[in-house]
Amino acid sequence: MLDPQFFALTLADWILIGTSFFASFMAAVAGLGGGVLLLAVMISFFPPAVVIPLHGVIQLGSNGFRALIMRQFFKQDILLAFTFGSILAAIIGSQVAVSLDETLLKVILGIFILYMVWGPKISPVNMTRKFRFYLGGFISTFASLFIGASGPITAAFMGREKMSKEAKVATHAAVMSIQHGFKIIIFGFLGFAFFDYALLMTLMLLTGMLGTYAGRHMLFKIPESVFQVLSKTVITLLALRLLYSALLA
């Protein structure tokens, strides 16, 4: 028998539940973008203090399920390096989560993402492959505490790695799962009441899993060249969106 709360869901709740499906579908096909789409819709209904931790839970579910069903593709060495950087960021970020200017962070990250996608490659002498992923884990996890959706940052670091589209999507999903997991722990310690949103989160997690499953099948049908163009285009648009939102602040 359905919980009476089920019928108490508002129109906004159902919009978010539907958006979770489409966001997960987009992320499974293009490798990213779903988190930003979901964040943009959620911020229309909830204040930032509620959106960022809730968004972390939904994204953990979406990315975790995508990583699980594509686990044979992801690169473990990249995941380990990102995880190490994420741990450091979680420790430091938990101490300054309320003191950094969000507008300044958006400008820095937007410019940085555009450079990582379109700028000249950094010489291996200056930055080793492993250090690049340590740094990627640190920067993206730290940023996720303030802007919520850090997928484009992670993707920018991974974009320079030569691997198949399946490996990029799977590895990105695994890395993002780690990041959102740390973020949830931090906001839990800071006292956020996740249980108050239990029903909404559960339904969004379920539709997110369905979207991920549908998008996974679409991914296998997309040519590698098309995926590369799509991925770069999405990352660039998301970076420009960060800069635009900073200008409006």
Side-chain angles (χ1 to χ4, degrees):
M1 188 173 182
L2 287 175
D3 188 317
Q5 269 193 301
F6 183 83
F7 299 101
L9 292 171
T10 65
L11 176 60
D13 292 332
W14 287 111
I15 290 174
L16 292 173
I17 291 166
T19 302
S20 181
F21 174 89
F22 290 108
S24 294
F25 180 85
M26 177 192 294
V29 173
L32 75 162
V36 175
L37 169 63
L38 183 61
L39 187 69
V41 176
M42 291 183 73
I43 204 72
S44 301
F45 301 110
F46 293 116
V50 173
V51 169
I52 293 180
L54 285 187
H55 180 269
V57 173
I58 308 306
Q59 286 300 98
L60 174 60
S62 176
N63 284 284
F65 184 65
R66 186 159 68 253
L68 177 64
I69 64 177
M70 299 185 69
R71 59 189 178 279
Q72 70 269 35
F73 295 109
F74 70 68
K75 304 293 185 181
Q76 293 187 10
D77 59 331
I78 295 178
L79 177 60
L80 290 173
F82 261 96
T83 300
F84 180 78
S86 295
I87 292 172
L88 292 178
I91 294 171
I92 297 173
S94 63
Q95 306 301 315
V96 296
V98 294
S99 62
L100 198 62
D101 182 74
E102 182 180 335
T103 300
L104 176 61
L105 184 65
K106 285 181 177 180
V107 172
I108 294 172
L109 293 177
I111 294 173
F112 180 76
I113 292 170
L114 290 175
Y115 176 82
M116 289 296 293
V117 175
W118 299 106
K121 291 186 177 181
I122 300 173
S123 169
V125 174
N126 298 326
M127 184 182 294
T128 65
R129 175 179 179 272
K130 183 176 290 188
F131 181 75
R132 184 170 79 247
F133 292 126
Y134 285 150
L135 185 62
F138 181 89
I139 291 176
S140 55
T141 300
F142 190 85
S144 73
L145 297 173
F146 305 92
I147 61 173
S150 59
I153 306 168
T154 304
F157 276 96
M158 290 177 52
R160 302 190 171 201
E161 188 74 6
K162 291 184 178 179
M163 50 182 164
S164 69
K165 64 182 189 297
E166 292 84 5
K168 281 187 177 180
V169 171
T171 306
H172 184 268
V175 167
M176 293 307 296
S177 299
I178 296 295
Q179 287 186 15
H180 288 300
F182 282 127
K183 182 166 65 175
I184 292 168
I185 292 172
I186 289 172
F187 279 102
F189 277 119
L190 291 176
F192 183 78
F194 286 102
F195 187 75
D196 291 349
Y197 305 89
L199 179 59
L200 176 61
M201 289 191 300
T202 299
L203 294 176
M204 290 181 70
L205 285 169
L206 289 174
T207 53
M209 291 172 66
L210 291 174
T212 295
Y213 189 76
R216 173 180 176 268
H217 289 283
M218 181 67 71
L219 173 66
F220 293 132
K221 299 178 182 179
I222 297 177
E224 190 76 38
S225 58
V226 174
F227 175 83
Q228 296 298 336
V229 173
L230 179 63
S231 181
K232 273 195 169 186
T233 300
V234 171
I235 296 172
T236 301
L237 290 175
L238 295 178
L240 292 175
R241 181 185 177 279
L242 269 178
L243 293 173
Y244 179 70
S245 63
L247 289 175
L248 293 180

